[in-house]
Short mmCIF file of all heavy atoms in Angstrom, two decimals:
data_model
loop_
_atom_site.label_atom_id
_atom_site.label_comp_id
_atom_site.label_asym_id
_atom_site.label_seq_id
_atom_site.Cartn_x
_atom_site.Cartn_y
_atom_site.Cartn_z
N ARG A 13 -225.68 -39.26 -122.06
CA ARG A 13 -226.67 -40.35 -122.53
C ARG A 13 -226.48 -40.81 -123.94
O ARG A 13 -226.49 -42.13 -124.13
CB ARG A 13 -228.00 -39.82 -122.30
CG ARG A 13 -229.17 -40.76 -122.56
CD ARG A 13 -230.53 -40.26 -122.13
NE ARG A 13 -230.55 -39.90 -120.63
CZ ARG A 13 -230.77 -40.71 -119.65
NH1 ARG A 13 -230.94 -42.01 -119.95
NH2 ARG A 13 -230.75 -40.23 -118.45
N PRO A 14 -226.23 -40.04 -124.91
CA PRO A 14 -225.84 -40.57 -126.21
C PRO A 14 -224.74 -41.59 -126.16
O PRO A 14 -224.70 -42.48 -127.01
CB PRO A 14 -225.66 -39.39 -127.03
CG PRO A 14 -226.36 -38.24 -126.54
CD PRO A 14 -226.36 -38.57 -124.97
N ARG A 15 -223.61 -41.18 -125.37
CA ARG A 15 -222.48 -42.12 -125.32
C ARG A 15 -222.87 -43.43 -124.78
O ARG A 15 -222.54 -44.53 -125.25
CB ARG A 15 -221.47 -41.42 -124.59
CG ARG A 15 -220.64 -40.45 -125.23
CD ARG A 15 -219.75 -39.69 -124.23
NE ARG A 15 -218.97 -38.65 -124.94
CZ ARG A 15 -218.45 -37.64 -124.29
NH1 ARG A 15 -218.49 -37.57 -122.94
NH2 ARG A 15 -217.71 -36.62 -125.03
N GLU A 16 -223.72 -43.50 -123.67
CA GLU A 16 -224.15 -44.67 -123.12
C GLU A 16 -225.13 -45.50 -124.20
O GLU A 16 -224.88 -46.66 -124.22
CB GLU A 16 -225.22 -44.38 -121.93
CG GLU A 16 -224.36 -43.79 -120.82
CD GLU A 16 -223.22 -44.69 -120.18
OE1 GLU A 16 -223.32 -45.88 -120.39
OE2 GLU A 16 -222.39 -44.02 -119.68
N TRP A 17 -225.83 -44.78 -124.96
CA TRP A 17 -226.65 -45.52 -126.02
C TRP A 17 -225.73 -46.08 -127.11
O TRP A 17 -225.97 -47.09 -127.73
CB TRP A 17 -227.72 -44.52 -126.61
CG TRP A 17 -228.92 -44.40 -125.74
CD1 TRP A 17 -229.23 -43.32 -125.05
CD2 TRP A 17 -229.91 -45.44 -125.37
NE1 TRP A 17 -230.46 -43.58 -124.43
CE2 TRP A 17 -230.77 -44.95 -124.55
CE3 TRP A 17 -230.01 -46.85 -125.90
CZ2 TRP A 17 -231.91 -45.75 -124.00
CZ3 TRP A 17 -231.03 -47.49 -125.34
CH2 TRP A 17 -232.01 -46.94 -124.47
N ARG A 18 -224.60 -45.30 -127.46
CA ARG A 18 -223.65 -45.97 -128.34
C ARG A 18 -223.10 -47.26 -127.90
O ARG A 18 -222.82 -48.16 -128.72
CB ARG A 18 -222.64 -44.87 -128.73
CG ARG A 18 -223.14 -43.73 -129.68
CD ARG A 18 -221.94 -43.06 -130.26
NE ARG A 18 -221.21 -42.28 -129.30
CZ ARG A 18 -221.44 -41.08 -129.01
NH1 ARG A 18 -222.44 -40.48 -129.34
NH2 ARG A 18 -220.61 -40.53 -128.06
N PHE A 19 -222.78 -47.22 -126.57
CA PHE A 19 -222.23 -48.44 -125.96
C PHE A 19 -223.20 -49.56 -126.11
O PHE A 19 -222.98 -50.69 -126.45
CB PHE A 19 -221.93 -48.23 -124.38
CG PHE A 19 -221.53 -49.41 -123.62
CD1 PHE A 19 -220.35 -49.91 -123.66
CD2 PHE A 19 -222.64 -49.99 -122.92
CE1 PHE A 19 -220.15 -51.14 -122.98
CE2 PHE A 19 -222.36 -51.15 -122.19
CZ PHE A 19 -221.14 -51.76 -122.21
N VAL A 20 -224.53 -49.25 -125.64
CA VAL A 20 -225.62 -50.26 -125.76
C VAL A 20 -225.57 -50.85 -127.27
O VAL A 20 -225.73 -51.98 -127.55
CB VAL A 20 -226.93 -49.74 -125.40
CG1 VAL A 20 -228.02 -50.67 -125.69
CG2 VAL A 20 -226.84 -49.33 -123.86
N TRP A 21 -225.62 -49.87 -128.18
CA TRP A 21 -225.71 -50.28 -129.71
C TRP A 21 -224.54 -51.12 -130.11
O TRP A 21 -224.71 -52.19 -130.73
CB TRP A 21 -225.82 -49.03 -130.51
CG TRP A 21 -225.89 -49.35 -132.04
CD1 TRP A 21 -224.95 -49.18 -132.96
CD2 TRP A 21 -227.09 -49.96 -132.75
NE1 TRP A 21 -225.38 -49.70 -134.17
CE2 TRP A 21 -226.57 -50.20 -133.99
CE3 TRP A 21 -228.23 -50.37 -132.29
CZ2 TRP A 21 -227.55 -50.76 -135.01
CZ3 TRP A 21 -229.08 -50.96 -133.17
CH2 TRP A 21 -228.83 -51.07 -134.46
N ARG A 22 -223.13 -50.78 -129.52
CA ARG A 22 -222.21 -51.59 -130.05
C ARG A 22 -222.22 -53.00 -129.34
O ARG A 22 -221.63 -54.05 -130.04
CB ARG A 22 -220.86 -50.90 -129.48
CG ARG A 22 -220.41 -49.75 -130.32
CD ARG A 22 -218.91 -49.32 -129.91
NE ARG A 22 -218.73 -49.19 -128.56
CZ ARG A 22 -218.78 -48.01 -128.03
NH1 ARG A 22 -219.19 -46.91 -128.72
NH2 ARG A 22 -218.63 -47.75 -126.71
N HIS A 23 -222.90 -53.20 -128.26
CA HIS A 23 -222.91 -54.43 -127.72
C HIS A 23 -224.31 -55.10 -127.65
O HIS A 23 -224.71 -55.88 -126.79
CB HIS A 23 -222.46 -54.40 -126.25
CG HIS A 23 -221.02 -53.91 -126.03
ND1 HIS A 23 -220.67 -52.53 -125.97
CD2 HIS A 23 -219.91 -54.59 -125.91
CE1 HIS A 23 -219.40 -52.47 -125.85
NE2 HIS A 23 -218.80 -53.68 -125.79
N ARG A 24 -225.06 -54.63 -128.68
CA ARG A 24 -226.54 -55.03 -128.80
C ARG A 24 -226.74 -56.49 -128.83
O ARG A 24 -227.67 -57.07 -128.12
CB ARG A 24 -227.24 -54.36 -129.90
CG ARG A 24 -226.65 -54.70 -131.30
CD ARG A 24 -227.20 -53.74 -132.40
NE ARG A 24 -226.72 -53.97 -133.56
CZ ARG A 24 -225.53 -53.67 -134.12
NH1 ARG A 24 -224.74 -52.88 -133.44
NH2 ARG A 24 -225.21 -53.85 -135.37
N TYR A 25 -225.85 -57.30 -129.64
CA TYR A 25 -226.01 -58.70 -129.69
C TYR A 25 -225.78 -59.35 -128.34
O TYR A 25 -226.57 -60.21 -128.03
CB TYR A 25 -225.14 -59.16 -130.72
CG TYR A 25 -225.38 -58.64 -132.10
CD1 TYR A 25 -224.40 -57.93 -132.76
CD2 TYR A 25 -226.57 -58.81 -132.78
CE1 TYR A 25 -224.69 -57.34 -134.12
CE2 TYR A 25 -226.90 -58.28 -133.98
CZ TYR A 25 -225.98 -57.67 -134.59
OH TYR A 25 -226.13 -57.07 -135.84
N ALA A 26 -224.73 -59.04 -127.67
CA ALA A 26 -224.38 -59.60 -126.36
C ALA A 26 -225.48 -59.25 -125.38
O ALA A 26 -225.91 -60.15 -124.47
CB ALA A 26 -223.12 -59.06 -125.81
N LEU A 27 -226.09 -58.11 -125.40
CA LEU A 27 -227.10 -57.72 -124.44
C LEU A 27 -228.38 -58.45 -124.77
O LEU A 27 -229.05 -58.87 -123.77
CB LEU A 27 -227.41 -56.14 -124.42
CG LEU A 27 -226.22 -55.32 -123.93
CD1 LEU A 27 -226.49 -53.81 -124.29
CD2 LEU A 27 -226.15 -55.54 -122.51
N VAL A 28 -228.73 -58.54 -126.12
CA VAL A 28 -229.89 -59.41 -126.38
C VAL A 28 -229.75 -60.87 -125.93
O VAL A 28 -230.62 -61.41 -125.39
CB VAL A 28 -230.16 -59.34 -127.85
CG1 VAL A 28 -231.25 -60.36 -128.40
CG2 VAL A 28 -230.53 -57.98 -128.34
N LEU A 29 -228.53 -61.36 -126.09
CA LEU A 29 -228.28 -62.80 -125.76
C LEU A 29 -228.45 -62.90 -124.20
O LEU A 29 -229.00 -63.87 -123.77
CB LEU A 29 -226.89 -63.24 -126.12
CG LEU A 29 -226.45 -64.68 -125.73
CD1 LEU A 29 -227.29 -65.55 -126.26
CD2 LEU A 29 -224.96 -64.77 -126.12
N ALA A 30 -227.87 -61.96 -123.46
CA ALA A 30 -228.11 -61.95 -122.03
C ALA A 30 -229.54 -61.95 -121.70
O ALA A 30 -229.84 -62.66 -120.66
CB ALA A 30 -227.25 -60.72 -121.39
N MET A 31 -230.32 -61.10 -122.21
CA MET A 31 -231.72 -61.08 -121.87
C MET A 31 -232.48 -62.32 -122.23
O MET A 31 -233.33 -62.83 -121.51
CB MET A 31 -232.47 -59.86 -122.60
CG MET A 31 -232.01 -58.44 -122.05
SD MET A 31 -232.92 -57.10 -122.75
CE MET A 31 -232.30 -57.06 -124.47
N VAL A 32 -232.03 -62.91 -123.38
CA VAL A 32 -232.70 -64.20 -123.69
C VAL A 32 -232.33 -65.23 -122.72
O VAL A 32 -233.19 -66.09 -122.32
CB VAL A 32 -232.25 -64.66 -125.07
CG1 VAL A 32 -232.62 -65.94 -125.43
CG2 VAL A 32 -232.87 -63.71 -126.28
N VAL A 33 -231.05 -65.37 -122.29
CA VAL A 33 -230.63 -66.37 -121.31
C VAL A 33 -231.43 -66.15 -120.10
O VAL A 33 -231.81 -66.97 -119.34
CB VAL A 33 -229.11 -66.33 -121.11
CG1 VAL A 33 -228.70 -67.11 -119.87
CG2 VAL A 33 -228.29 -66.78 -122.36
N ALA A 34 -231.37 -64.78 -119.59
CA ALA A 34 -232.17 -64.55 -118.33
C ALA A 34 -233.66 -64.97 -118.46
O ALA A 34 -234.25 -65.58 -117.44
CB ALA A 34 -232.07 -63.03 -118.01
N LEU A 35 -234.26 -64.73 -119.60
CA LEU A 35 -235.68 -65.08 -119.89
C LEU A 35 -235.84 -66.60 -119.74
O LEU A 35 -236.77 -67.16 -119.06
CB LEU A 35 -236.17 -64.61 -121.20
CG LEU A 35 -237.60 -64.89 -121.43
CD1 LEU A 35 -238.54 -64.23 -120.41
CD2 LEU A 35 -238.00 -64.27 -122.91
N MET A 36 -234.97 -67.39 -120.38
CA MET A 36 -234.97 -68.70 -120.44
C MET A 36 -234.82 -69.33 -118.95
O MET A 36 -235.58 -70.26 -118.59
CB MET A 36 -234.00 -69.34 -121.36
CG MET A 36 -234.08 -69.10 -122.81
SD MET A 36 -232.80 -69.66 -123.96
CE MET A 36 -232.91 -71.38 -123.61
N VAL A 37 -233.90 -68.83 -118.25
CA VAL A 37 -233.69 -69.35 -116.88
C VAL A 37 -234.80 -69.00 -116.00
O VAL A 37 -235.27 -69.87 -115.15
CB VAL A 37 -232.33 -68.64 -116.35
CG1 VAL A 37 -232.21 -68.95 -114.84
CG2 VAL A 37 -231.10 -69.10 -117.08
N GLY A 38 -235.36 -67.73 -116.19
CA GLY A 38 -236.58 -67.45 -115.40
C GLY A 38 -237.61 -68.31 -115.73
O GLY A 38 -238.37 -68.75 -114.77
N THR A 39 -237.96 -68.66 -116.88
CA THR A 39 -239.06 -69.51 -117.23
C THR A 39 -238.80 -70.81 -116.65
O THR A 39 -239.68 -71.58 -116.20
CB THR A 39 -239.02 -69.57 -118.74
OG1 THR A 39 -239.39 -68.36 -119.37
CG2 THR A 39 -240.25 -70.53 -119.12
N TRP A 40 -237.60 -71.32 -116.81
CA TRP A 40 -237.12 -72.69 -116.21
C TRP A 40 -237.43 -72.81 -114.75
O TRP A 40 -238.02 -73.67 -114.26
CB TRP A 40 -235.67 -72.94 -116.61
CG TRP A 40 -235.18 -74.35 -116.04
CD1 TRP A 40 -235.83 -75.58 -116.11
CD2 TRP A 40 -233.91 -74.60 -115.55
NE1 TRP A 40 -234.93 -76.47 -115.60
CE2 TRP A 40 -233.83 -75.89 -115.32
CE3 TRP A 40 -232.74 -73.66 -115.36
CZ2 TRP A 40 -232.58 -76.45 -114.77
CZ3 TRP A 40 -231.59 -74.26 -114.85
CH2 TRP A 40 -231.55 -75.61 -114.55
N VAL A 41 -236.94 -71.76 -114.02
CA VAL A 41 -237.26 -71.69 -112.66
C VAL A 41 -238.75 -71.66 -112.22
O VAL A 41 -239.10 -72.36 -111.27
CB VAL A 41 -236.50 -70.56 -111.99
CG1 VAL A 41 -236.84 -70.33 -110.59
CG2 VAL A 41 -234.97 -70.66 -112.08
N ALA A 42 -239.46 -70.82 -113.03
CA ALA A 42 -240.93 -70.74 -112.74
C ALA A 42 -241.57 -72.01 -112.94
O ALA A 42 -242.53 -72.35 -112.25
CB ALA A 42 -241.48 -69.67 -113.69
N LEU A 43 -241.15 -72.82 -113.86
CA LEU A 43 -241.84 -74.08 -114.16
C LEU A 43 -241.32 -75.27 -113.25
O LEU A 43 -241.85 -76.37 -113.13
CB LEU A 43 -241.54 -74.57 -115.55
CG LEU A 43 -242.16 -73.67 -116.65
CD1 LEU A 43 -241.77 -74.17 -117.95
CD2 LEU A 43 -243.62 -73.72 -116.49
N SER A 44 -240.27 -74.90 -112.40
CA SER A 44 -239.63 -75.77 -111.54
C SER A 44 -239.59 -75.23 -110.07
O SER A 44 -238.54 -75.37 -109.55
CB SER A 44 -238.36 -76.28 -112.09
OG SER A 44 -238.38 -76.76 -113.41
N ALA A 45 -240.55 -74.52 -109.70
CA ALA A 45 -240.50 -73.84 -108.46
C ALA A 45 -240.18 -74.70 -107.22
O ALA A 45 -239.73 -74.19 -106.12
CB ALA A 45 -241.67 -73.04 -108.22
N ALA A 46 -240.43 -75.92 -107.32
CA ALA A 46 -240.24 -76.91 -106.16
C ALA A 46 -238.79 -77.33 -105.99
O ALA A 46 -238.45 -78.04 -105.12
CB ALA A 46 -241.14 -78.12 -106.29
N ARG A 47 -237.91 -76.85 -106.90
CA ARG A 47 -236.54 -77.29 -106.90
C ARG A 47 -235.62 -76.01 -106.40
O ARG A 47 -235.32 -75.19 -107.24
CB ARG A 47 -236.05 -77.73 -108.21
CG ARG A 47 -236.82 -78.94 -108.68
CD ARG A 47 -236.35 -79.33 -110.09
NE ARG A 47 -237.14 -80.41 -110.61
CZ ARG A 47 -236.95 -80.92 -111.87
NH1 ARG A 47 -235.99 -80.62 -112.69
NH2 ARG A 47 -237.83 -81.91 -112.27
N PRO A 48 -235.23 -76.01 -105.06
CA PRO A 48 -234.49 -75.00 -104.69
C PRO A 48 -233.24 -74.70 -105.33
O PRO A 48 -232.64 -73.63 -105.48
CB PRO A 48 -234.30 -75.25 -103.17
CG PRO A 48 -235.36 -76.27 -102.88
CD PRO A 48 -235.60 -76.97 -104.16
N LEU A 49 -232.52 -75.77 -105.81
CA LEU A 49 -231.36 -75.64 -106.53
C LEU A 49 -231.38 -74.75 -107.77
O LEU A 49 -230.44 -74.06 -108.19
CB LEU A 49 -230.66 -77.01 -106.77
CG LEU A 49 -230.17 -77.70 -105.69
CD1 LEU A 49 -229.61 -79.13 -106.12
CD2 LEU A 49 -228.98 -76.98 -105.00
N LEU A 50 -232.52 -74.83 -108.43
CA LEU A 50 -232.76 -74.10 -109.63
C LEU A 50 -232.78 -72.50 -109.34
O LEU A 50 -232.36 -71.67 -110.10
CB LEU A 50 -234.03 -74.38 -110.29
CG LEU A 50 -234.05 -75.85 -110.96
CD1 LEU A 50 -235.46 -76.13 -111.57
CD2 LEU A 50 -232.85 -76.02 -111.90
N TRP A 51 -233.32 -72.32 -108.15
CA TRP A 51 -233.35 -70.76 -107.66
C TRP A 51 -231.89 -70.27 -107.53
O TRP A 51 -231.51 -69.16 -107.86
CB TRP A 51 -234.18 -70.61 -106.44
CG TRP A 51 -235.60 -70.65 -106.68
CD1 TRP A 51 -236.39 -71.74 -106.43
CD2 TRP A 51 -236.47 -69.74 -107.29
NE1 TRP A 51 -237.68 -71.57 -106.79
CE2 TRP A 51 -237.82 -70.26 -107.34
CE3 TRP A 51 -236.22 -68.42 -107.76
CZ2 TRP A 51 -238.77 -69.50 -107.84
CZ3 TRP A 51 -237.35 -67.71 -108.17
CH2 TRP A 51 -238.54 -68.25 -108.27
N VAL A 52 -231.09 -71.24 -107.01
CA VAL A 52 -229.64 -70.84 -106.68
C VAL A 52 -229.00 -70.70 -108.17
O VAL A 52 -228.16 -69.79 -108.29
CB VAL A 52 -228.96 -71.90 -105.96
CG1 VAL A 52 -227.47 -71.65 -105.77
CG2 VAL A 52 -229.55 -72.22 -104.46
#
Side-chain angles (χ1 to χ4, degrees):
R13 188 171 298 277
R15 286 171 178 164
E16 297 296 340
W17 280 112
R18 285 198 295 272
F19 168 81
V20 171
W21 179 252
R22 286 197 302 271
H23 298 88
R24 59 192 182 279
Y25 298 119
L27 291 171
V28 168
L29 178 61
M31 288 188 290
V32 170
V33 170
L35 180 61
M36 291 175 63
V37 171
T39 303
W40 180 38
V41 171
L43 295 175
S44 309
R47 301 179 184 178
L49 287 178
L50 295 182
W51 287 102
V52 174

